[in-house]
Amino acid sequence: MTTTRHAPAANRPASPGRSPVPRVALPPVLSTVLGLTAIALLAWPARETLFEGVAGETARSPLAGFAGLVADKGLLVLVAITACLALFTWLRDRSRLVLLSAAGVGTLSAYAVSEVVKLVVTEERPCRVVDVATVLTCPAPGDWSWPSNHSTIAGALAVACLLVAPRLWLAVVPLALAVAGARVAAGVHYVHDVASGLALGVLVTCLVGLGVHAGVQRVTRRSTSRRSPEARRTTGR
């Protein structure tokens, strides 16, 4: 009598319904967060000098209008890229849509954390502290500076896209950096505001997104394992 040998679990192909989570993304994410944190710490002592130099020169340069446009509307381009990626995964790969949705939860979490930190720290906007002309009008009093919400969301959306489609880094990484840099150039944030915002968005979105995705996968596997005996009883196998 012949017997059939089953391949070890480690060699079996992954279930089609299970989205591969790029765990290799964690080391570069942590390195990026540490690098951005270092930039923020180094920039903080010279925050006013850096702001005066960058924002003041931009306001006097021919690029003033472009800097203001990127600072004000650049984030919408990242949102559009993420929306297109969501549509693509919905049509072609629903498992990656689950991962993108989990990263969306991380993005919302990162924004919520940045808002809470703003209310706790209450750092005044640089355009209210440094006497220099700026491209954008200074936000109203009570709209605090640290960390930058725009930069937090830019970093979060970039990571959400990269977790699902790493090849998009050529588009989303420069765009996220451009949005963050433009917030300084347009005169509404310090350098340490945007560096901290990027770090916060990257870290929270990655950790929360992967955590939520892992939880969804566990629930899906349990649901599948519970249905299997019922299916066997129905088919008589």
Side-chain angles (χ1 to χ4, degrees), residues 40-53 190-192:
L41 291 174
L42 291 173
W44 187 80
R47 59 193 180 281
E48 294 183 9
T49 301
L50 287 172
F51 174 78
E52 185 175 4
Y190 291 112
V191 172
H192 72 275

Side-chain angles (χ1 to χ4, degrees), residues 51-232:
F51 174 78
E52 185 175 4
V54 175
E57 288 300 322
T58 302
R60 294 188 292 269
S61 77
L63 296 176
F66 179 72
L69 179 65
V70 175
D72 194 34
K73 305 297 184 183
L75 197 58
L76 296 178
V77 181
L78 271 172
V79 172
I81 292 174
T82 307
C84 290
L85 182 59
L87 178 60
F88 177 82
T89 54
W90 184 75
L91 294 173
R92 302 290 297 273
D93 190 344
R94 296 291 178 88
S95 62
R96 291 195 178 273
L97 178 61
V98 173
L99 178 56
L100 183 61
S101 301
V105 175
T107 300
L108 294 176
S109 300
Y111 173 73
V113 171
S114 71
E115 279 294 321
V116 171
V117 173
K118 276 178 175 286
L119 294 176
V120 172
V121 177
T122 65
E123 180 187 55
E124 194 63 83
R125 292 273 182 170
C127 43
R128 296 190 177 282
V129 176
V130 182
D131 185 16
V132 63
T134 58
V135 175
L136 294 181
T137 302
C138 199
D143 188 346
W144 308 112
S145 189
W146 188 86
S148 164
N149 280 343
H150 277 73
S151 301
T152 299
I153 299 173
L157 290 176
V159 167
C161 291
L162 291 176
L163 287 175
V164 177
R167 293 181 180 179
L168 285 177
W169 75 269
L170 282 173
V172 297
V173 172
L175 186 54
L177 294 175
V179 170
R183 298 299 289 176
V184 179
V188 290
H189 277 293
Y190 291 112
V191 172
H192 72 275
D193 293 340
V194 300
S196 300
L198 286 172
L200 179 64
V202 169
L203 181 63
V204 173
T205 300
C206 184
L207 295 182
V208 173
L210 294 183
V212 170
H213 183 263
V216 170
Q217 296 288 53
R218 284 195 296 269
V219 171
T220 302
R221 288 196 299 271
R222 289 175 183 173
S223 176
T224 302
S225 64
R226 288 173 182 172
R227 287 198 301 266
S228 296
E230 297 177 1
R232 287 196 294 268

